[in-house]
Amino acid sequence: MSNNKTFQKNIWNHQQKIAPYLFIAPFYILFIVFMGYPLLSSLILSFYEMRGFQSKIYVGLSNFIDLFSDPIFWKSVWNTTYFALGTLTLQLPIALLLALILNSKHVKGKNLLRLAFFTPVLVAGVFVAIIFNLIYDQRAGIINNEYILLGKEIGWLNEAKYVMPAVILTGVWQWAGFNMIYFIAGLQGIRQDLYEAAAVDGANWWQAFLHVTLPSLRPVIAFVVVVSMIGSFQLFDLPFILTNGGEPADAGSTIVMYLYKNGFQFMRLGYAATIGWVLFIIIAIISIAQLKLLGIFREE
Amino acid sequence: MAIPFDSDNFPIGKAPIAMLILFVISSILLVISIEKKDESLEFWIYANTHYDEYQARLPLFNQLYPEVNVHLVNFGGTMHDKLLTALLSNFGAPDIVEVEINSIGRFLKGAIDEIGFIDLRPLLESKGRIDDLFPNRFTPWSYSGKIYGIPHDLHPVVLLYRDDLFKAVGVDLTKVNTWDEFIISAKKATRDTDGDGNIDQYAIVLDNKTESDYFNFLLQRGGGFFDENGNVIIDSELAIETLTFYNSLFNEHKIATPVYGTWHGHPSNFAAMQDDKILSILAPDWYVGILKSQVPQMAGKWKAIPMPAWEDGGRRTTTRGGTMIGITKQCKNPDLAWELIEFTYFNREGLANRFETTMIIPPIKSAFDVPVFHEPEEYLGGQKIGELFIDLVPDIPPRYQNPYWSEASDLLNDAIFKVVTENEHPRKALTELATTVRKIISKDHTRWGTE
């Protein structure tokens, strides 16, 4: 009898040790199967090139060397960086401004307006691209037809220099409202007594914004900036549809679009894997640099 | 005797047991659903118009083969990516598949014996079908002597024009035979109608961002990007001269307007047509079908003539677009797959039905006497457009397929844009393009040790 009890106790102890691993096992199994293994194979693939549909051939660092002398890749890197900078300098300030306005006590119908600004993000990128394709149209689009602000017919999607600005503006329309929500949440988390203390010290609105609001929003800003940058560097569907695959003359090509073209249209899977890993390195460097700059690693 | 299994006392409780049971059941169901029955055919397509046609006709096929279960799937534009993945992973490809002409190249890349389609030549020969199809139309679907697809179409191109607006400036386009004559007429028709100093009405609309229209001209002259043996010929004198001519239509003669929107089927382009801004367009049979269905209000305004020739008595057509049907190597029953191909690609009633809904002329010689091809078309003011297309069929030029077409056409798009809008010299643009594509090809051959 006592033997039996000891046996049961042993099993119980054993279970105590194993159970946690069993509970987290589904995640790790799925992660290894659907993330770990593909990541590893894509890394290996970047040192190979397909020789047909079933066999591949080892090419060493050749894909990486080719990539660094590939003008279309660099054009895509520049376009993507341009979009990311546009996001940083245009989209995020607009999102913050919207958040400040829609968090103010003096604005009526705030919830409705927040919903209105948030809605564009619920629309799939493909539909947004199709609609903006019509809006930007050089001769039939409503921007050139109804709002001839600059006094000339702009070839938004037909002239190379206007293509990325058009993509950036579409990005602002789609994503500013989404980032606004993060900023509103951040603004609501700022303690009122800080503003009261600032007011007692004689600070005006601008000084309170500069010395209370902005520093208190730092973690939110860091989060939004990093997530937006990652999203910007992964840009694909919007310009792909908007510019019909990067036209004209690759003016709308992005890194992921070039990766897709190489992998799926040109059947150069090794080269596409290389682009993927270079993109990973770019995003990692930029994200770490941003977090450092924004002081996220700083001890408080 | 106690039940050996007590869920309450199961070491980690009831919920994990429930999850375990669900996992086992769903795994079994998944395996069963993947396991294909021999008598079923998976058929993938990418075109909506084809989906409507086959969906309507499959019940008739089922009457002939009640035991066969045809699973028709329309993936739209992403179909080619899904097919590529399935062929690469050697799993999950359909039995039968339709592939678009600009997309087939990538499936022919690398080692010939690893291509995912079966060679249809033996089947075509044994079924006595090979001579019923136009030999030039096998060229887009053949590579290294093997035929990987049966053509769905021929896609002869005509010049579709606004008879009323050309006549308004005293031009009868039916008397125009060559491009030189067209330019003279077109200059009269290209006008500033409201006197504001801007041209409102252009004689022809052409694409300045993609190879589409330039390639129409190039093929008409017997050129191409690759020749029969896979050599790059885009820097030939013929190609350079054709691009120089193409550029002159925009920048020297100023009779061409760039396409409105992203392509000729874009809503903006249709809007421009309705606003009388576009007077003519190079139209394959399928484009006439699209125009008819998308812009029905323009019925009676368009007419068609054969494409003007480069010289008197020269070729009066070209070819644009296309689809093939092929059998993948993952197909377990190619003979059964062939029966479905016979039914969808060779059946006279089906082909008549296809023409009625899409205006597409079949590549089957023996079907040309089907009455519907010889009836007047109301959309074109009663013109017998089917007959015009059929008359042009013997002149349709070959369009040689190549595994590098995707890269080549992507770079050709850039070259055309640079020439037409950024003043780059055609010779420079095409020479550089040819050099780049030759380098890509030779690098691959060096790597594979096939040179």
Side-chain angles (χ1 to χ4, degrees), chain B residues 305-374:
Chain B
I305 51 163
M307 255 174 101
W310 284 84
E311 63 281 311
D312 259 329
R315 182 185 271 141
R316 300 286 306 258
T317 192
T318 183
T319 179
R320 177 86 209 140
T323 299
M324 65 158 237
I325 195 163
I327 301 175
T328 69
K329 282 185 180 161
Q330 291 178 37
C331 175
K332 285 182 189 145
N333 194 344
D335 286 324
L336 184 64
W338 175 264
E339 295 304 321
L340 184 63
I341 292 178
E342 278 263 354
F343 185 78
T344 45
Y345 271 50
F346 292 92
N347 181 288
R348 286 166 68 93
E349 280 167 37
L351 300 176
N353 174 41
R354 181 189 294 169
F355 181 76
E356 278 170 336
T357 51
T358 62
M359 306 287 286
I360 293 173
I361 295 286
I364 320 292
K365 289 178 199 167
S366 60
F368 281 179
D369 58 354
V370 173
V372 73
F373 300 135
H374 304 275

Side-chain angles (χ1 to χ4, degrees), chain B residues 206-208 210-211 213-215 217-218 221 234-252 310 411-421 424-431 433:
Chain B
L206 295 168
D207 195 335
N208 67 342
T210 76
E211 43 74 34
D213 283 316
Y214 166 66
F215 226 65
F217 287 98
L218 189 58
R221 299 189 75 184
I234 196 66
D235 54 350
S236 65
E237 283 307 316
L238 183 86
I240 293 167
E241 204 184 285
T242 309
L243 186 53
T244 309
F245 169 81
Y246 189 69
N247 184 31
S248 76
L249 298 178
F250 291 97
N251 295 317
E252 184 191 330
W310 284 84
L411 293 165
L412 180 56
N413 291 344
D414 296 358
I416 287 161
F417 182 76
K418 282 180 190 157
V419 168
V420 176
T421 66
E424 186 153 308
H425 195 279
R427 182 175 300 277
K428 180 173 180 278
L430 294 185
T431 313
L433 165 65

Side-chain angles (χ1 to χ4, degrees), chain A residues 15 50-55 57 62 66 133 137 139 158 247-250 260-261 264-266 268-269, chain B residues 11 81 87-88 106 109-111 114 209-210 257-258 260-261 266 268 406-407 410 414 417 443 447-448:
Chain A
Q15 279 168 16
M50 301 307 288
R51 202 193 144 265
F53 273 75
Q54 305 305 327
S55 52
I57 202 155
S62 172
D66 287 354
N133 199 304
D137 191 88
R139 280 156 294 186
N158 296 325
E247 288 163 15
D250 299 307
Y260 165 80
K261 276 190 179 176
F264 285 92
Q265 295 187 351
F266 309 159
R268 310 177 79 79
L269 296 185
Chain B
D81 296 348
L87 294 178
L88 279 166
R106 72 189 83 163
K109 225 165 198 180
E114 293 181 12
K209 288 190 287 187
T210 76
T257 178
Y260 289 68
H266 195 275
S268 308
S406 286
E407 287 102 315
D410 211 47
D414 296 358
F417 182 76
K443 182 153 198 167
R447 279 174 171 179
W448 301 335

